[in-house]
Amino acid sequence: MAAISGAPFSSSFLHYRSPPLPKYYCTTWSSRTSFFCARAIGEASVSADYSEAKRLIDEVLRKGEKEEEESAVAAATSSVANSAVSWALYCDKESQRLLAESVEKLCASSQDAGPFLSSENALGVWDVFYAPHISRISKSVGVKINPLRYILSPSGFVSNVQYMSPFGDGWLSAAGDFVVRDNQTVEVLFDSFWWDIGRDSLQPDPKGQGSVLRTMVNVMGKGAFIQSLSVYPVHFADEDIVVFEFTPLKTKIAARKTGNHT
C-alpha cells in the first residue's frame, strides 16, 4: 500500500506511528498519574494505620479480660457486672499511651460517621474505655468509675455510670434523645436524671417519678444540664468503636460496643 501523503503513515497502514502527544498533555497526564498514585498510597497508609490502631486497642483491652473474669467470680452475686472494657480508664501508663496513640490514628481516618450512627448498627450497649479527663478527675477525688456506659435503642439514649468511692457505691444515670445532626456531629438531649444508691441498685428510667429524693435529683439534673455542652463532634465510628470529643476540655472519648440493645 502506498504511503498516504500528509498522514503519519510509513509504507504500510500496519506500520502506523502515532503522532507525539503535545507537551502540555504529557505534563497533565503525568501530574494526574502522580496525583492518583499519591492518593492511593495515602489511602493505603490510612487503612494500615486504621487496622493497626484497632489491633492495638484489642491487644490492650484483652489484657484486662483475665482480671475481669477473676473479679466476676467475686461479684457473682452482683446483679450488674462491671464493664469488660471500662477498667482501661485506669490502666497502666504504657497501655494509656497505646490507647491514646490508637485513638488519634482512628480520628485521622476522617470518615463520615453520620451514616453509621443513623443506622440500626449503632444501636446497642457502648462501654467507654478511653476518657483521660474522667480518669484524672475521678482519681483525684478517690472515686473509680466502672462502667461508664451508653445505651442506644429505638426509644432513645441512656447513660449509666457506676461509681465506687470510700463513702459508698452507686449509679448516676440520665436518659433522653440522641440526634445525628450531620456526618460529624451528634447531640444528646437528656430530660431524665436519677441516682441509685448501692452497687446492685441500678434501675431503669423512672421518668421523674417516685420518691422525693428521685424527684429532687431529677429537678437538679435538669437544672444543671447545659444543652450547648451536649453537642459532640464524632471523629470515628464503626461497628466496634466510636470516638467523639468533649469540646469544653478538647478531649477524646472512645467506647466499644459490648452488647445489643434489649
Side-chain angles (χ1 to χ4, degrees), residues 153-229:
S153 71
S155 60
F157 182 87
V158 175
S159 171
N160 298 132
V161 180
Q162 180 179 226
Y163 65 88
M164 291 158 279
S165 76
F167 309 102
D169 305 336
W171 293 81
L172 297 173
S173 303
D177 200 7
F178 176 84
V179 180
V180 179
R181 293 178 54 174
D182 54 46
N183 284 338
Q184 300 295 147
T185 313
V186 299
E187 183 174 9
V188 179
L189 303 173
F190 287 126
D191 56 18
S192 181
F193 301 83
W194 69 101
W195 177 27
D196 296 307
I197 301 175
R199 182 173 297 191
D200 305 324
S201 62
L202 180 63
Q203 299 295 316
D205 181 9
K207 302 186 184 301
Q209 305 299 312
S211 65
V212 174
L213 177 59
R214 281 203 182 279
T215 302
M216 290 177 60
V217 169
N218 190 47
V219 171
M220 292 172 63
K222 287 184 175 181
F225 178 67
I226 302 175
Q227 186 170 341
S228 61
L229 299 182

Side-chain angles (χ1 to χ4, degrees), residues 33-185:
T33 302
S34 299
F35 169 77
F36 287 116
C37 287
R39 181 176 179 180
I41 293 172
E43 290 176 349
S45 176
V46 169
S47 178
D49 286 346
Y50 162 86
S51 299
E52 176 66 7
K54 295 196 71 173
R55 186 191 69 78
L56 286 174
I57 289 173
D58 287 340
E59 185 177 292
V60 171
L61 296 182
R62 277 199 299 268
K63 287 173 56 178
E65 288 182 355
K66 184 176 181 180
E67 287 86 347
E68 290 299 317
E69 289 174 359
E70 293 173 351
S71 64
V73 174
T77 58
S78 174
S79 60
V80 181
N82 285 347
S83 163
V85 299
S86 284
W87 68 270
L89 293 172
Y90 306 98
C91 61
D92 59 85
K93 289 185 178 181
E94 176 61 17
S95 296
Q96 290 176 13
R97 183 187 67 79
L98 290 174
L99 288 177
E101 291 179 355
S102 299
V103 166
E104 290 303 322
K105 286 182 180 179
L106 292 181
C107 294
S109 65
S110 301
Q111 62 156 216
D112 289 335
F116 172 78
L117 294 173
S118 300
S119 71
E120 291 188 358
N121 293 328
L123 303 180
V125 180
W126 296 82
D127 286 351
V128 172
F129 63 86
Y130 178 79
H133 65 296
I134 292 176
S135 302
R136 288 194 300 269
I137 294 172
S138 61
K139 287 171 67 175
S140 68
V141 295
V143 174
K144 185 176 181 180
I145 302 296
N146 189 0
L148 172 50
R149 175 171 293 161
Y150 305 124
I151 303 173
L152 276 68
S153 71
S155 60
F157 182 87
V158 175
S159 171
N160 298 132
V161 180
Q162 180 179 226
Y163 65 88
M164 291 158 279
S165 76
F167 309 102
D169 305 336
W171 293 81
L172 297 173
S173 303
D177 200 7
F178 176 84
V179 180
V180 179
R181 293 178 54 174
D182 54 46
N183 284 338
Q184 300 295 147
T185 313

